[in-house]
Amino acid sequence: MGASVSRELIVLGTASQVPTRQRAHNGYLLRWDDQGFLFDPGEGAQRQLLLAGAAASDITRICVTHFHGDHCLGLPGIVQRLSLDRVPHEVPIHFPGSGADFLQRLRHASHFHDQARITECPVDGDGVLATGPFGTLSARRLRHPVESFGYRLAEPDGRRMLPERLAALGVRGPDVGVLQRVGTVVADGRLVSLEEVSEPRPGQVAAFVMDTGWCEAAIRLAEGADLLVIESTFLETEAELAAEAGHLTAAQAARIATEAGVRRLVLTHFSQRHPNAAVFGDEAAAHFDGEIVVAEELARIAVPPRR
Ligand SMILES: [Zn+2]
């Protein structure tokens, strides 16, 4: 299966602060091969997952940017559902270390038979949080009234085999595997190197940035990202309010994407002041030349195919 098919963002909700008639509290499931990264489950995340056709067992890791309610009030339901469904795998939860008390309360909000394998992974500074077949998960501190971390998921760079070059140099069958493992193989009496029959294949990158005011960390997180999911709470007409509250305007979100060289920009976390989210996309379009997706409830947004 191609990576573009198995890597996508499922939008659970797009509302900042409070849900509205049209918008659920924000929340996102990033499907990444056999992994499922749940970001910032707001209220109702459990039901939104159901409506999106995803199961609790699809969640393999949870990342909380900060402990404002719209980013974490769905945790009790998710944690209890992991237990109820007897999800067998370990589920690490990454969260700002300064909010450890909040995490405890959310994890133990009410009576339930606690049998999920949850690992608490406080984030106390910038750096790598986890590595695995999915690549590297790292975090950087953002700028918000309460401690907030953005996340970046980066697959290591690899090499793409070129079938016509392989054929031309007579590398076939099991020799291809040998070449990939060892770096060289003898074919038709000649030493063939991996570089001769392959080209660099950049690893895919997804970044998740919210909540934050304008900051360098947001750009670093999004550097070269194929998919950037970023808060776009306000418009430029509310720039002062955005700065005070530690939020971004759609224009700022777009400029971050431009500076970082992002491919597909996903705007979300919309203020209830703007019932029609199209205005965010319109504003962003003046500041970013790449593809802009204005997130909608239950939308599935593919990680763009590899370059
Ligand atoms: Zn916040």
Side-chain angles (χ1 to χ4, degrees):
M1 198 192 300
S4 60
V5 175
S6 56
R7 294 182 178 179
E8 64 176 3
L9 179 80
I10 299 178
V11 179
L12 304 178
T14 64
S16 70
Q17 201 172 42
V18 291
T20 69
R21 285 173 181 272
Q22 288 79 29
R23 294 179 191 144
H25 244 179
N26 79 157
Y28 313 85
L29 181 69
L30 177 65
R31 286 188 185 268
W32 190 266
D33 306 333
D34 60 348
Q35 304 288 301
F37 293 79
L38 178 66
F39 291 96
D40 284 3
E43 274 179 70
Q46 184 181 182
R47 184 156 189 268
Q48 292 298 97
L49 276 175
L50 174 78
L51 295 178
S57 58
D58 293 331
I59 301 167
T60 58
R61 200 174 282 272
I62 299 173
C63 300
V64 175
T65 59
H66 68 296
F67 287 100
H68 275 149
D70 49 335
H71 297 261
C72 65
L73 285 177
L75 262 182
I78 295 293
V79 163
Q80 296 189 22
R81 187 61 183 271
L82 290 170
S83 275
L84 187 71
D85 289 1
R86 298 173 186 273
V87 170
H89 55 253
E90 184 191 348
V91 179
I93 302 184
H94 303 278
F95 60 92
S98 59
D101 290 349
F102 294 119
L103 185 83
Q104 288 313 310
R105 291 206 279 276
L106 293 163
R107 267 201 71 186
H108 307 287
S110 68
H111 289 295
F112 72 109
H113 184 36
D114 191 356
Q115 54 187 349
R117 293 176 56 208
I118 287 171
T119 317
E120 296 175 13
C121 308
V123 182
D124 293 311
D126 296 0
V128 172
L129 306 177
T131 54
F134 54 83
T136 300
L137 177 69
S138 58
R140 280 181 188 268
R141 187 179 271 106
L142 298 170
R143 182 191 288 189
H144 201 49
V146 304
E147 187 172 52
S148 181
F149 284 96
Y151 295 95
R152 173 184 174 93
L153 180 58
E155 177 186 40
D157 294 339
R159 296 195 72 85
R160 180 187 293 117
M161 302 304 282
L162 301 169
E164 64 281 10
R165 297 288 303 150
L166 288 167
L169 295 175
V171 182
R172 55 183 78 83
D175 281 352
V176 178
V178 172
L179 183 59
Q180 283 176 307
R181 282 194 307 278
V182 182
T184 54
V185 75
V186 176
D188 295 342
R190 177 181 175 277
L191 188 68
V192 176
S193 73
L194 185 59
E195 287 70 25
E196 289 177 88
V197 293
S198 66
E199 61 184 7
R201 186 197 67 180
Q204 285 188 310
V205 174
F208 189 82
V209 174
M210 62 188 75
D211 290 0
T212 189
W214 178 276
C215 64
E216 186 67 19
I219 299 167
R220 293 283 81 81
L221 285 164
E223 198 79 65
D226 298 279
L227 187 78
L228 168 64
V229 186
I230 188 165
E231 73 126 299
S232 162
T233 312
F234 295 114
L235 297 176
E236 276 299 277
T237 49
E238 303 150 314
E240 210 169 304
L241 174 61
E244 267 169 36
H247 283 299
L248 295 170
T249 65
Q252 288 178 317
R255 287 202 291 270
I256 287 170
T258 296
E259 290 203 18
V262 165
R263 296 177 68 197
R264 187 169 288 171
L265 169 64
V266 179
L267 302 175
T268 185
H269 193 269
F270 305 122
S271 163
Q272 57 184 318
R273 292 161 163 247
H274 304 290
N276 175 9
V279 294
F280 296 100
D282 293 343
E283 183 172 292
H287 303 270
F288 178 65
D289 288 338
E291 191 191 341
I292 298 171
V293 181
V294 177
E296 283 178 31
E297 275 58 27
L298 306 182
R300 304 175 94 96
I301 302 165
V303 178
R306 293 174 188 288
R307 292 175 204 263

